[in-house]
Amino acid sequence: MMSEIGLTYVSTGIKLQKFKFKCKSELDRPQRYNPGSNSEQSFFSRILILVMLVVSPPQCALWNSKRLVFLFPIKGRRVEEHHYFPASSSAANSSNQYSYMDDNIPEDSLVLSENLMLLGYSSISSEDNGRKPNISNEDEAIVDVGEAPNHEDIEHRMDLTDDLLHMVFSFLGHKDLCKAGATCKQWHIASALEDFWKCLNFEELNISPENFSAICRRYPNAIQVNVLGVHHVDVLVLEAMTSLRLSSSLWLYGQLPDGFFHALTDCPALKTLHISDAYFGSGIQELMIHHDNLHDLQIVKCRVLRISMPLLQTLSLKRSSMAHVLLISPQLHLLDISSCHKLSDAGIRSAATSCPLLTSLDMSFCGCVSDETLREIAFACPNLQYLDASFCPNISLESVRLPMLTDLKLHNCEGITSVSVAAISHCYMLESLQLDCCALLTSVSLDLPHLQSISLIHCRKFVELNLRSPLLSSITVSNCPVLHRINIMSTVLQKLALQKQESLATLSLQCRNLQEVDLTDCESLNNSICEVFSDGGGCPMLRSLILENCESLTLVRFNSSSLASLSLVGCRTVTLLELSCPNLQRVNLAGCDHLESASFCPVGLWSLNLGICPKLTILKIEAPHMRGLELKGCGVLQLRDESLSTTAASCSLIETLILSSCTSIESAALSSLHRLGRLTVLDLSYTFLTNLQPVFETCSQLETLKLIACKCLTDSSLDAVYKENALPVLRELDLSYSTAGKSAIEKILATCTNLVNVNLNGCVNMHDLVWDSNGGALKLLSTRASWLTPACSNGECEQPGHLIESLNCVGCRNIKRVLIPPSSCCFHLSHLNVRMAANLKEVYVACPKLDYLNLSDCSSLEILMLDCPRLSILYLTACAMLTEEAVEAAIANCEMLETLHVNNCPKIYPVYLRNLRRACPSLKRIYGVSWF
C-alpha cells in the first residue's frame, strides 16, 4: 500500500510550492526512504526534490507517527547532523516518541563503506541518546512532508534513470558525492562513477590517510591530484605516487617525504607539478629535480639548486630563496623568477641564457638584474616576446634590442628615462607597454606600427606624450601632474580618457574613429580645445565629449556634425556657449552659473535643462525635435514676447515647459504659448505673475499646471479654471504655498472633477476641508449614520463623481475639520495627506477606494471617523489628543487595514495595542512602542 505525501518547502513562513511523491516506511532500513514519482509529478518537481535532498542534505530528520520533518541549515550556519527514525512500530504509532540512529562516522570523512553509505552518517555523540535536538526557527528552514508513512507500504524506487543521476551528480563536489552515495544503492553506484573521480581535489579538506588510500585504490586512473593544505601531506603524496601511476597533475603544499623527488621517476605520465611552501622532514630545503616527461613545473617559496627536465616548457620559481639555479631544459618557453630576491645577477643571466627557446620571462622584483644581463638575454633568446622587469631599479634598457618583444612591463623602474624610450622604439613588434610609476621619465615619443596599448600612471615628471600608431586602441594616462602636451595619431582608437591632468594645455588628435573623450578635471585646457573637436579638427566620428570642471574655459563654440553628447558640468567660468551640432541629443550644463549667452542653433536635442543660470540674458534655441525645455532659475532672462515667441516657433513640439523662478517673465509673453500646440506640462512656480488669462486661452491641452509659491495670485486669478472650464483636460494642479483664496480653492475642488492630483501644501487660505458634490458646506448631523448617507437615489449617484486620486494638504495650519462624506462622490480618492495640521480637530472620511491616509503631527485631533474599506496604511503619529477608543472605533470598518502608526501618541498605551488588533483583524503591523 502506497502512502501519498505532500512536500512543502518553508523558508520564512511562506509556502513556496507543493509536490506529491510516494515513500516507503521500512523499520529495518529507514534510511532507504526515497521520494518517487507518480503520473501527476512533473520533471521539475523530481529535480527540485533531488537537489534539496542531495545538494543541501537535511541536518535533522524528525519522524513520529504524525509527521516527518527535515531541517535544512540556512544563513550559512552550521548545525550538527542527525537522523531520527522510529525505533519500533509502537513508537511509530505514538505522536510524542522519537528515536535516532547514530553511525559514528566523522563528518570530515569523505569515503564510507558500502554498508555505512546505505545507513547514512551523523556527527552526534552517543551521550545524546534519546534527546531531541535543539531546533531554532531562526537557524533552519523546514521541509515538512506531512504524516509519517504506513509501515505496510512496499518499497518504491525513485524513477530517476542512471543517465539523469549522472547529469545531476556531475555538478557535485567529492564531499557532496559521498553524501549522495549514502542515500541508496542506486545513488551509491551512480556517485562512484569513475568520471567523477578523474580529478581528485582535496584542497584544504581534513581527509585521513586511510580514506585517501582507499580512494586511490578505488580510482587508479585518476589523472589529477590536489592536496594543497591537507594534513599528513607527506604520507598522502607517497600513496598518490604509488597508486596513481597514470596521474598527470599533482598539487602539493607543506612537508614532503625525503624521497619524493627520487620517486618522481616512477610517475612517467606526470606532466604538471605544483609545489608551494615545501620542506622535507629532515629540514633540507634544497631541491634537485629530474624528470623526463614533465612539461609544467611551479615551485613557490622553495629552494631549488638544479632542474634537469628535457621536455619542460613552463617553469615558475616565484618567491624562491635560492642564490643561483642550474637549468637543463632546452625546450623551456616560459620562465617566472619573480620575487627571487636572493637570486644574483649572474644567476639570472645563467638561468635565462640556458633556454634558447624562451618566449616569456618574468623577473619582476629581482633587484640585482642589470642592463648587461638584459643584453645577453636578448642575444641568447631571440624569440623573447614577453618581458616583465618591474621593480628592477638598476635597468635603463640602454643598448638593449629586443626586436621580437610584444609585451613589456616596466612598473616602478627608477632607471627608465627618455633615453630608455629611444631603446624601446626599436621594438618594432611591441603591442603593449606599461611605464607606470617611472619617476624619472619626462617624455615619450614612439612610432610603432603594432602598438595597441600604453599605460602611464603616476609619472611625476612626465611632460610630453607623442604617439603614432595606426593600431593604438587603449591609452591610460592618469595622475601625471606636469603633463603639458599630448599628440596622438591612431586609426582604431575609439575611447580616450585623460582625467585629472591639471597641467594639460595642448591636445592634438588625429583619430578618425575616436568616439568618446573624457577630459574631466583638466583645469588648464583653454578655448582652443573647441577646434580639436569641431569639424576638421581630426575627430570626425566623435559622439561623446566630457569637459567637466575645466575651469579655464570661457568661450565654448562647437560646430560638429557628429557630436551627440556634451557635458560641461562645473565649468563655472563659461560665459558664452554656441552650439551648432545638428545631431546633439544630450547636453548637461549643471554648475555653469556664470553663463550669460547661450545659442543652440541648430541642435537635435529632445530636452534641454539649463540648470540655474541667474546671469543668462540671451537665449536662442532651434531644436525641431525638442520635447522638454527647463529654464529654472534663469532670473535675469528677459522672456518677453519676442524671445519666447521665437523659441516657441522653432520648438513647436515642446510638451514640457519649466519656467519656475524666472522672475522677469511677463504675462504678455505667455500669449506666445499658443504656438506650442502639444504643451501638456507648464511650471510657473516662484514667479510674480498675477494674470494667468493667456495660459487659459492658449493652452487647451494642458494637463499639469504648477503654481508653487506664486505670492501674487488672487481669488480672481483662477476664476477661468472653475467658471469657464478653461483647462478641460487638466489632471494635476499644484497650488502649494500660494496665496490662492479660500473660495477659489473650494470651488476648484468641487467643480473641477477631472483633476487627479491636487497639492495644497502650506496654503494659508486653506480652511476647513468640507467637501460635497455641489461645492457647498455640509451640515454635520449628530449621528454617524446620517453623515454616511450617500447622495444617491435608487442606487445611482446624482453626480458623475470626482476623478481625484491624490490630495495633499500638508502644513495647512488653518484646517480645523476634514469632512469627505459619500455625497462628495470621491470614488477614486486613494491618497490623502493632511500632515502637520496643528489645529485639526475632527476628521470624517468615507471613501471607498482610499488606500493611504496620513494624519501625523495633528496634535489637536480628537474625533476620527472612517468608512474606508480599502484603507491599508494609516498614519496617526504624534496625535497627542487622540484616544485609544477613538482609534478603535475608526478602524473598525477598515477591513483591509494592514499598517497602523501610532507612535508618540501619549493617550494610546502599549496595553491597548492588542485591542486595536482585535478591532481590526486584518492588521499586520502596529508601530507603537518599540518593544511591542
Side-chain angles (χ1 to χ4, degrees):
M1 175 180 179
M2 301 300 298
S3 63
E4 198 171 77
I5 298 175
L7 175 65
T8 304
Y9 183 75
V10 182
S11 176
T12 58
I14 302 175
K15 184 179 296 184
L16 298 181
Q17 195 168 357
K18 283 189 175 182
F19 305 98
K20 292 183 177 181
F21 60 93
K22 299 181 179 181
C23 67
K24 75 178 276 282
S25 165
E26 187 178 356
L27 294 179
D28 57 338
R29 299 185 70 182
Q31 72 290 344
R32 291 292 299 277
Y33 164 78
N34 294 317
S37 65
N38 54 28
S39 59
E40 298 179 356
Q41 185 177 2
S42 65
F43 175 80
F44 175 76
S45 304
R46 297 197 298 266
I47 293 298
L48 180 58
I49 296 170
L50 179 65
V51 172
M52 289 170 61
L53 295 179
V54 175
V55 178
S56 295
Q59 301 288 358
C60 296
L62 300 177
W63 190 355
N64 59 18
S65 62
K66 295 292 185 181
R67 193 164 294 276
L68 174 62
V69 179
F70 290 107
L71 299 182
F72 290 80
I74 61 177
K75 299 181 181 178
R77 305 185 184 184
R78 189 176 183 85
V79 184
E80 286 187 337
E81 297 173 355
H82 308 271
H83 293 262
Y84 288 81
F85 303 102
S88 63
S89 58
S90 60
N93 294 328
S94 173
S95 61
N96 297 321
Q97 186 172 359
Y98 294 85
S99 64
Y100 66 90
M101 187 172 295
D102 182 7
D103 299 314
N104 293 323
I105 303 299
E107 65 176 23
D108 58 356
S109 177
L110 290 178
V111 177
L112 310 174
S113 66
E114 184 174 347
N115 292 333
L116 292 180
M117 281 188 176
L118 290 174
L119 291 175
Y121 65 94
S122 172
S123 63
I124 63 173
S125 61
S126 59
E127 61 187 23
D128 291 333
N129 292 354
R131 188 173 64 186
K132 298 179 183 179
N134 184 14
I135 301 168
S136 172
N137 290 332
E138 297 180 356
D139 294 343
E140 296 91 13
I142 300 177
V143 175
D144 189 346
V145 295
E147 297 183 356
N150 193 322
H151 304 317
E152 298 178 358
D153 291 345
I154 62 174
E155 179 178 357
H156 182 76
R157 288 185 52 165
M158 184 185 300
D159 65 339
L160 295 176
T161 64
D162 291 341
D163 291 339
L164 181 58
L165 280 178
H166 293 163
M167 180 186 69
V168 176
F169 286 177
S170 65
F171 295 95
L172 303 182
H174 293 148
K175 192 171 183 178
D176 291 332
L177 282 173
C178 291
K179 292 181 180 181
T183 305
C184 64
K185 278 189 176 180
Q186 183 191 15
W187 287 28
H188 171 63
I189 296 174
S191 65
L193 186 67
E194 190 171 1
D195 289 345
F196 300 150
W197 301 88
K198 286 288 187 180
C199 300
L200 304 180
N201 185 2
F202 304 112
E203 184 174 352
E204 303 295 340
L205 290 180
N206 186 16
I207 182 173
S208 65
E210 294 77 11
N211 269 341
F212 183 81
S213 178
I215 291 177
C216 291
R217 290 194 300 270
R218 183 174 298 178
Y219 305 105
N221 296 324
I223 60 174
Q224 180 176 322
V225 182
N226 185 353
V227 289
L228 289 174
V230 179
H231 298 295
H232 312 293
V233 65
D234 53 339
V235 179
L236 304 186
V237 167
L238 287 180
E239 179 62 36
M241 299 178 67
T242 303
S243 304
L244 306 176
R245 299 289 184 179
L246 300 180
S247 178
S248 61
S249 301
L250 185 60
W251 281 263
L252 306 175
Y253 174 90
Q255 181 179 348
L256 299 179
D258 291 341
F260 168 74
F261 288 105
H262 295 288
L264 280 180
T265 56
D266 297 332
C267 300
L270 189 64
K271 297 185 181 300
T272 300
L273 176 61
H274 290 188
I275 303 175
S276 179
D277 285 326
Y279 62 92
F280 296 100
S282 59
I284 301 176
Q285 293 185 345
E286 298 180 351
L287 312 180
M288 308 284 289
I289 307 175
H290 175 77
H291 196 280
D292 292 334
N293 297 320
L294 203 62
H295 286 69
D296 181 10
L297 176 61
Q298 178 176 325
I299 301 178
V300 180
K301 298 173 69 174
C302 303
R303 189 171 182 180
V304 182
L305 293 180
R306 178 187 177 95
I307 298 176
S308 176
M309 299 178 183
L311 299 181
L312 188 65
Q313 298 181 3
T314 302
L315 174 61
S316 176
L317 302 175
K318 188 180 300 183
R319 297 195 297 274
S320 298
S321 58
M322 65 281 188
H324 63 277
V325 60
L326 176 61
L327 297 182
I328 305 177
S329 303
Q331 300 296 322
L332 192 66
H333 293 287
L334 186 149
L335 176 60
D336 185 356
I337 53 175
S338 59
S339 301
C340 294
H341 303 288
K342 295 185 179 181
L343 191 59
S344 63
D345 186 35
I348 296 174
R349 186 186 316 164
S350 173
T353 55
S354 64
C355 307
L357 299 181
L358 197 65
T359 59
S360 176
L361 174 60
D362 187 348
M363 55 181 184
S364 56
F365 295 94
C366 293
C368 298
V369 67
S370 63
D371 284 338
E372 182 181 356
T373 296
L374 284 179
R375 283 191 289 269
E376 293 197 18
I377 292 175
F379 179 78
C381 306
N383 297 319
L384 190 63
Q385 299 178 4
Y386 173 88
L387 175 61
D388 189 350
S390 302
F391 295 89
C392 296
N394 298 326
I395 64 172
S396 63
L397 294 183
E398 294 184 14
S399 302
V400 177
R401 299 292 183 267
L402 295 166
M404 300 302 294
L405 198 65
T406 60
D407 193 344
L408 176 60
K409 295 182 179 180
L410 298 171
H411 296 277
N412 223 312
C413 294
E414 298 177 1
I416 297 298
T417 63
S418 300
V419 178
S420 306
V421 177
I424 296 174
S425 63
H426 292 86
C427 302
Y428 300 109
M429 303 300 295
L430 193 63
E431 298 177 359
S432 176
L433 175 61
Q434 297 184 21
L435 298 171
D436 300 344
C437 302
C438 293
L440 299 180
L441 185 63
T442 57
S443 65
V444 171
S445 181
L446 293 173
D447 185 357
L448 297 174
H450 299 283
L451 187 64
Q452 298 179 13
S453 65
I454 185 171
S455 177
L456 293 159
I457 300 176
H458 290 290
C459 297
R460 293 175 295 176
K461 297 184 179 181
F462 188 56
V463 176
E464 185 176 0
L465 174 62
N466 293 292
L467 296 175
R468 184 180 180 88
S469 174
L471 300 181
L472 188 63
S473 60
S474 175
I475 300 177
T476 304
V477 179
S478 179
N479 294 313
C480 298
V482 297
L483 179 61
H484 185 72
R485 292 180 297 276
I486 294 181
N487 185 2
I488 300 173
M489 193 287 292
S490 172
T491 57
V492 298
L493 184 65
Q494 296 185 357
K495 185 175 181 180
L496 177 63
L498 300 172
Q499 301 174 352
K500 297 184 179 180
Q501 304 303 318
E502 294 88 351
S503 301
L504 181 62
T506 305
L507 178 63
S508 176
L509 299 175
Q510 294 296 324
C511 306
R512 65 186 183 188
N513 289 313
L514 186 62
Q515 297 184 12
E516 300 179 23
V517 176
D518 188 350
L519 298 173
T520 301
D521 294 317
C522 294
E523 299 176 357
S524 299
L525 283 177
N526 52 38
N527 298 333
S528 63
I529 194 66
C530 299
E531 300 177 1
V532 177
F533 299 113
S534 295
D535 289 342
C539 304
M541 301 296 292
L542 186 66
R543 298 281 297 170
S544 174
L545 176 60
I546 301 177
L547 295 171
E548 297 179 0
N549 300 320
C550 296
E551 297 185 356
S552 296
L553 294 177
T554 57
L555 306 178
V556 177
R557 294 184 175 94
F558 285 110
N559 182 4
S560 173
S561 58
S562 62
L563 191 63
S565 176
L566 174 64
S567 178
L568 295 171
V569 174
C571 296
R572 302 184 182 279
T573 57
V574 174
T575 58
L576 183 144
L577 175 64
E578 294 181 2
L579 300 179
S580 179
C581 307
N583 292 314
L584 186 65
Q585 298 179 3
R586 293 178 301 276
V587 60
N588 193 342
L589 302 174
C592 297
D593 46 16
H594 287 75
L595 189 64
E596 299 176 1
S597 175
S599 174
F600 304 87
C601 302
V603 292
L605 291 172
W606 287 69
S607 64
L608 174 62
N609 182 0
L610 287 178
I612 299 177
C613 300
K615 297 183 179 181
L616 185 65
T617 57
I618 301 176
L619 176 63
K620 296 180 181 180
I621 302 175
E622 183 181 337
H625 303 292
M626 184 172 289
R627 298 294 191 273
L629 175 60
E630 184 170 346
L631 303 177
K632 181 179 180 180
C634 300
V636 186
L637 182 64
Q638 299 295 322
L639 287 177
R640 302 183 186 274
D641 186 22
E642 182 180 353
S643 60
L644 190 57
S645 176
T646 303
T647 301
S650 60
C651 308
S652 59
L653 300 181
I654 287 181
E655 299 175 356
T656 301
L657 180 60
I658 310 297
L659 300 176
S660 61
S661 300
C662 292
T663 54
S664 300
I665 191 172
E666 299 177 355
S667 298
L670 296 178
S671 59
S672 301
L673 297 179
H674 75 277
R675 298 178 180 272
L676 305 178
R678 299 187 180 185
L679 187 65
T680 58
V681 178
L682 178 61
D683 190 348
L684 298 173
S685 303
Y686 299 97
T687 60
F688 300 109
L689 293 171
T690 57
N691 182 13
L692 299 177
Q693 194 62 29
V695 176
F696 301 144
E697 293 176 353
T698 60
C699 303
S700 58
Q701 301 298 319
L702 199 63
E703 297 181 1
T704 300
L705 178 61
K706 295 185 178 182
L707 300 170
I708 302 173
C710 291
K711 301 296 184 180
C712 297
L713 293 180
T714 62
D715 285 350
S716 60
S717 299
L718 300 172
D719 284 351
V721 176
Y722 59 87
K723 288 182 179 181
E724 303 172 8
N725 195 21
L727 302 176
V729 295
L730 190 65
R731 295 292 183 268
E732 181 177 348
L733 178 63
D734 196 337
L735 297 173
S736 299
Y737 306 101
S738 68
T739 56
K742 172 187 175 182
S743 60
I745 293 175
E746 290 179 348
K747 290 177 181 178
I748 288 175
L749 291 177
T751 60
C752 298
T753 57
N754 290 327
L755 285 174
V756 175
N757 298 317
V758 179
N759 293 324
L760 302 171
N761 303 322
C763 288
V764 294
N765 295 326
M766 182 66 184
H767 294 276
D768 293 353
L769 182 59
V770 179
W771 202 347
D772 74 352
S773 57
N774 297 319
L778 290 180
K779 181 179 180 181
L780 185 62
L781 301 179
S782 57
T783 63
R784 179 175 182 272
S786 300
W787 77 273
L788 287 177
T789 302
C792 301
S793 59
N794 299 326
E796 297 182 359
C797 291
E798 298 175 355
Q799 298 292 335
H802 292 273
L803 298 179
I804 189 168
E805 297 179 1
S806 175
L807 177 61
N808 294 300
C809 301
V810 178
C812 297
R813 60 179 182 270
N814 293 325
I815 294 181
K816 296 181 179 180
R817 183 174 60 167
V818 174
L819 173 59
I820 306 179
S823 60
S824 64
C825 300
C826 294
F827 305 125
H828 302 280
L829 186 62
S830 61
H831 181 102
L832 178 59
N833 191 346
V834 199
R835 279 188 67 230
M836 301 174 65
N839 295 314
L840 181 63
K841 294 184 178 181
E842 304 174 11
V843 173
Y844 307 88
V845 178
C847 297
K849 291 188 178 180
L850 189 65
D851 176 74
Y852 174 93
L853 176 59
N854 193 338
L855 299 171
S856 298
D857 300 297
C858 297
S859 56
S860 301
L861 183 61
E862 297 179 358
I863 300 175
L864 178 62
M865 301 183 70
L866 302 176
D867 187 19
C868 306
R870 295 192 179 182
L871 186 65
S872 63
I873 301 175
L874 176 59
Y875 279 86
L876 299 173
T877 304
C879 292
M881 303 300 295
L882 201 59
T883 63
E884 181 267 338
E885 292 79 6
V887 176
E888 185 176 349
I891 66 176
N893 290 329
C894 301
E895 302 171 355
M896 301 180 66
L897 186 63
E898 296 182 354
T899 303
L900 175 62
H901 293 259
V902 289
N903 311 73
N904 302 322
C905 294
K907 292 189 177 183
I908 300 179
Y909 301 102
V911 69
Y912 293 148
L913 296 182
R914 299 186 183 277
N915 297 337
L916 298 179
R917 195 179 296 275
R918 284 194 295 268
C920 184
S922 62
L923 268 176
K924 296 180 179 179
R925 294 168 293 274
I926 301 180
Y927 295 94
V929 293
S930 58
W931 56 267
F932 180 76

